[in-house]
Amino acid sequence: MQGSKLGRACGSVLDLPPENLIKSISAVPISRKEEVADFQLSVDSLLENNNDHSRPDIQIQAMRLAEKLKCDTVVSEISTGQGTVNFKINRELLTKTVLQQVIEDGSKYGLKSELFSGLPKKRIVVEFSSPNVAKKFHVGHLRSTIIGNFIANLKEALGHQVTRINYLGDWGMQFGLLGTGFQLFGYEEKLQSSPLQHLFEVYVQVNKEAADDKNVAKSAHEFFQRLELGDMQALALWQKFRDLSIDEYMRIYQRLGVHFDEYSGESFYREKSQEVLKLLDSKGLLQKTLKGTAVVDLSGNGDPSSVCTVMRSDGTSLYATRDLAAAIDRMEKYNFDKMIYVTDKGQKKHFQQVFQILQIMGYDWAERCQHVPFGVVQGMKTRRGDVTFLEDVLNEIRLRMLQNMASIKTTKELENPEETAEQVGLAALIIQDFRGFLLSDYQFSWDRVFQSRGDTGVFLQYTHARLHSLEETFGCGYLNDFNTACLQEPQSVSILQHLLRFDEVLYRSSQDLQPRHIVSYLLTLSHLAAVAHRTLHVRNSPPEVAGARLHLFRAVRSVLANGMKLLGITPVCRM
């Protein structure tokens, strides 16, 4: 925005190209002090760009630069800080430029910034969620779902071509148990009406039986062998389990606001993983062990911690082999520039080994593969006990939020209180999860998720709804033209300065894939909006002042909504 103009001005004084300066100039974060500069130029990072390592004292450099730069119609004041040159922008220009840009760019505000200019558009694959059919959808799957959705949203917003893949655990010995279990305890009508629940019940029951009865264990093993050999009857039952489970998952993901372009699964790579084993063998990378298994030694000297098992003694493939086959297949299919796997940090070593094996197989594109790990959440329980199904979590969220809303008098007017409760509750859950580093473990608490005061998703939704009702009440008649001179109060200037930083926050999240930067930005924006809402009244103000303030509040709501949608939150207009 104004950063590019400053870049050009400083560039001519320093005899440097302006693009070198864009990343050294940043909008100054809002501080508790009323009067802060709008932009600062970090002299330190500038000299780094210039590779001048015999740098004299940074402070002297900053003073010299400040003396050479002149105020003009854009810059009204120039000063120096710790190793920085600070610029204050002409207040009316700041107001007009920021508000115009927010309204004109709409959902693209911040994404059109110079920070992103010249970034090549890439083909990106994101694999996330990936639950196991017939097993618990645990909290780790929930985290993978919301984090993967955020990463895909962000990459898509930046103009990349994103493919979202759900890689289901839909193969393996559990299907031998399920096939046998269903023949013993299954009910067709229960399977049709609630497949995830029924298959889980069958799976738990058959596991108990198999532990006590050798014959059940034996027939489970036989059923899986029939599957592996392509027996039509066994495969038909397996296909039915898979299809019904995906239909139900899709319905639940819809409630979460999440979609996938492809429901893949381990089953897709049964044959292809055999090809991978042949390929490894032909390259002399496969080693047989005394137990009859096959391994790849990544250390080259037999270090047991660097050995990856790729085949069982009976010749069947393992999880790692199927991941190798999947990566090779996706490269052929999508020719990706980047593939991101979103799973818990317990799988860190697994992915390191998979990427390393791809590399030694001669696939240079292995370096385009990235694992985004996240920490463990402890203590999430619903009224039915430990989390078994994603739907239980969503129902719990809706129920708790409805109870909260029932105690507030405005809720009665809602057309669809259940849907609103779910959207607000999901925002609460997502903000709670995204506030810290993704790698951090944390202790889950429903009370903390739903507290009405403080930095929560409920507060973000409340702010959005409140600003929306302000627009509804006063209409948009004011919004064609406005007088910038009416927005010079400190509360307005703080908001404008904060809006100015949105592109930097998006840039930071795009670099490290951490949503916390956007979360803390939106919480600060909501606090600033709350203060402004209390002090800058629209009602009973002169039309010119009311119009300018409405413009400001509309810009806040627009940026708030943009940020929330990137995080995977649907903003509500009433609550």
Side-chain angles (χ1 to χ4, degrees):
M1 221 177 281
Q2 298 301 331
S4 55
K5 293 180 184 167
L6 285 175
R8 286 194 289 277
C10 299
S12 59
V13 169
L14 290 163
D15 200 21
L16 282 172
E19 51 275 18
N20 277 26
L21 286 134
I22 291 296
K23 298 220 166 116
S24 297
I25 293 177
S26 59
V28 177
I30 301 301
S31 75
R32 306 222 170 260
K33 299 194 298 294
E34 292 300 334
E35 275 301 313
V36 297
D38 304 307
F39 284 102
Q40 61 185 25
L41 169 68
S42 157
V43 180
D44 197 16
S45 74
L46 193 63
L47 295 172
E48 250 164 50
N49 291 346
N50 211 10
N51 291 333
D52 172 10
H53 292 298
S54 60
R55 329 181 251 193
D57 180 10
I58 299 284
Q59 204 56 36
I60 294 170
Q61 286 278 47
M63 310 278 256
R64 269 191 209 148
L65 180 55
E67 279 164 19
K68 283 186 193 168
L69 291 163
K70 302 269 184 292
C71 293
D72 56 13
T73 51
V74 175
V75 178
S76 62
E77 211 174 283
I78 299 173
S79 59
T80 55
Q82 285 300 115
T84 61
V85 179
N86 301 333
F87 303 92
K88 193 170 164 184
I89 302 296
N90 169 329
R91 285 289 167 250
E92 293 200 15
L93 186 72
L94 175 77
T95 309
K96 198 174 181 67
T97 314
V98 173
L99 294 185
Q100 254 175 356
Q101 197 119 35
V102 173
I103 305 299
E104 274 170 28
D105 289 355
S107 63
K108 290 269 176 276
Y109 177 71
L111 298 161
K112 291 183 169 183
S113 158
E114 301 100 342
L115 291 173
F116 299 113
S117 67
L119 276 188
K121 300 292 174 248
K122 295 183 171 171
R123 286 180 297 277
I124 296 173
V125 172
V126 187
E127 181 197 296
F128 64 106
S129 194
S130 309
N132 297 304
V133 175
K135 291 186 179 176
K136 285 185 177 189
F137 188 107
H138 58 73
V139 188
H141 294 126
L142 176 59
R143 278 206 94 182
S144 172
T145 307
I146 60 178
I147 294 166
N149 188 47
F150 158 71
I151 291 172
N153 289 346
L154 183 61
K155 295 286 185 190
E156 223 159 55
L158 289 168
H160 301 299
Q161 186 186 326
V162 177
T163 304
R164 300 159 187 251
I165 295 183
N166 197 341
Y167 183 66
L168 299 171
D170 63 356
W171 200 251
M173 195 51 216
Q174 82 227 47
F175 284 92
L177 285 158
L178 260 188
T180 299
F182 193 74
Q183 286 158 350
L184 292 170
F185 325 108
Y187 292 99
E188 186 60 33
E189 60 276 19
K190 278 190 180 178
L191 180 66
Q192 296 291 341
S193 64
S194 51
L196 298 178
Q197 173 123 14
H198 188 52
L199 288 175
F200 178 71
E201 286 163 358
V202 167
Y203 185 64
V204 170
Q205 201 170 351
V206 73
N207 261 307
K208 281 185 193 141
E209 296 287 327
D212 300 335
D213 185 341
K214 290 278 187 296
N215 288 329
V216 173
K218 184 165 170 275
S219 76
H221 199 81
E222 282 164 5
F223 189 92
F224 185 55
Q225 274 184 319
R226 280 168 56 202
L227 272 180
E228 288 260 288
L229 294 168
D231 174 87
M232 294 308 284
Q233 223 178 344
L235 275 174
L237 187 61
W238 166 83
Q239 190 70 50
K240 181 156 67 171
F241 292 163
R242 188 183 193 275
D243 292 348
L244 289 169
S245 296
I246 287 178
D247 286 346
E248 192 170 1
Y249 270 132
M250 282 169 79
R251 185 178 60 75
I252 298 165
Y253 285 131
Q254 204 173 351
R255 280 177 70 178
L256 258 178
V258 171
H259 71 276
F260 293 93
D261 300 302
E262 184 184 309
Y263 281 85
S264 169
E266 294 184 65
S267 60
F268 284 50
Y269 300 107
R270 306 196 300 277
E271 281 123 41
K272 289 192 168 133
S273 53
Q274 293 304 320
E275 290 167 28
V276 168
L277 291 171
K278 284 187 195 129
L279 200 56
L280 283 166
D281 201 19
S282 70
K283 290 180 184 278
L285 296 167
L286 212 56
Q287 298 175 9
K288 283 277 169 63
T289 66
L290 295 170
K291 294 181 196 157
T293 60
V295 301
V296 176
D297 174 15
L298 292 163
S299 66
N301 59 17
D303 172 5
S305 67
S306 300
V307 166
C308 179
T309 307
V310 289
M311 187 184 83
R312 290 195 186 87
S313 53
D314 61 3
T316 54
S317 63
L318 280 110
Y319 187 56
T321 335
R322 295 192 282 268
D323 259 343
L324 290 166
I328 296 165
D329 178 57
R330 288 172 194 169
M331 190 63 202
E332 284 169 9
K333 190 170 172 187
Y334 297 111
N335 189 19
F336 56 78
D337 298 297
K338 189 84 169 161
M339 176 153 64
I340 298 167
Y341 297 85
V342 185
T343 72
D344 67 80
K345 61 185 179 188
Q347 295 198 40
K348 196 172 170 188
K349 186 179 176 186
H350 163 77
F351 282 110
Q352 277 171 346
Q353 292 189 328
V354 167
F355 301 161
Q356 229 177 322
I357 293 172
L358 287 169
Q359 200 87 50
I360 59 175
M361 285 172 83
Y363 295 116
D364 292 342
W365 50 259
E367 61 195 26
R368 302 181 199 175
C369 299
Q370 179 186 3
H371 177 218
V372 175
F374 55 81
V376 181
V377 181
Q378 277 115 0
M380 186 193 267
K381 285 185 165 39
T382 65
R383 278 148 223 244
R384 290 170 55 161
D386 282 332
V387 173
T388 306
F389 305 107
L390 175 56
E391 192 152 28
D392 289 347
V393 178
L394 297 180
N395 293 342
E396 185 81 16
I397 284 172
R398 188 166 63 189
L399 195 65
R400 283 177 183 265
M401 200 61 225
L402 274 171
Q403 288 170 342
N404 280 12
M405 283 160 49
S407 60
I408 306 167
K409 56 181 184 299
T410 56
T411 311
K412 298 179 183 64
E413 303 150 22
L414 293 176
E415 277 169 36
N416 192 339
E418 294 217 332
E419 197 178 313
T420 302
E422 190 155 307
Q423 301 298 4
V424 176
L426 270 173
L429 186 77
I430 289 170
I431 294 299
Q432 156 84 10
D433 195 90
F434 284 1
R435 281 186 62 185
F437 284 94
L438 294 180
L439 257 181
S440 309
D441 300 340
Y442 71 90
Q443 193 64 37
F444 185 83
S445 145
W446 286 111
D447 292 340
R448 197 167 61 239
V449 168
F450 287 121
Q451 62 190 25
S452 54
R453 305 217 170 280
D455 290 349
T456 63
V458 179
F459 175 50
L460 290 187
Q461 289 283 33
Y462 174 68
T463 306
H464 184 272
R466 195 174 178 185
L467 295 174
H468 187 269
S469 85
L470 198 63
E471 280 171 49
E472 275 194 329
T473 308
F474 294 100
C476 293
Y478 289 116
L479 292 175
N480 297 334
D481 198 28
F482 67 99
N483 183 352
T484 51
C486 298
L487 288 176
Q488 301 310 313
E489 308 84 354
Q491 298 90 327
S492 307
V493 173
S494 290
I495 287 176
L496 293 162
Q497 289 173 322
H498 195 57
L499 292 175
L500 204 54
R501 288 187 60 229
F502 190 50
D503 62 339
E504 291 173 26
V505 173
L506 295 178
Y507 182 72
R508 202 175 299 167
S509 277
S510 75
Q511 294 301 99
D512 66 6
L513 302 183
Q514 298 281 334
R516 64 192 181 90
H517 311 299
I518 297 173
V519 170
S520 87
Y521 175 89
L522 296 179
L523 289 165
T524 302
L525 183 60
S526 297
H527 283 295
L528 292 170
V531 172
H533 191 270
R534 279 198 303 276
T535 50
L536 307 178
H537 300 140
V538 175
R539 196 184 294 283
N540 302 330
S541 295
E544 205 175 32
V545 174
R549 287 174 179 177
L550 272 177
H551 232 94
L552 181 71
F553 287 127
R554 181 185 175 195
V556 171
R557 183 180 73 81
S558 172
V559 174
L560 188 58
N562 292 352
M564 287 163 81
K565 287 173 189 166
L566 282 177
L567 296 173
I569 295 169
T570 305
V572 300
C573 295
R574 284 198 173 82
M575 65 178 272

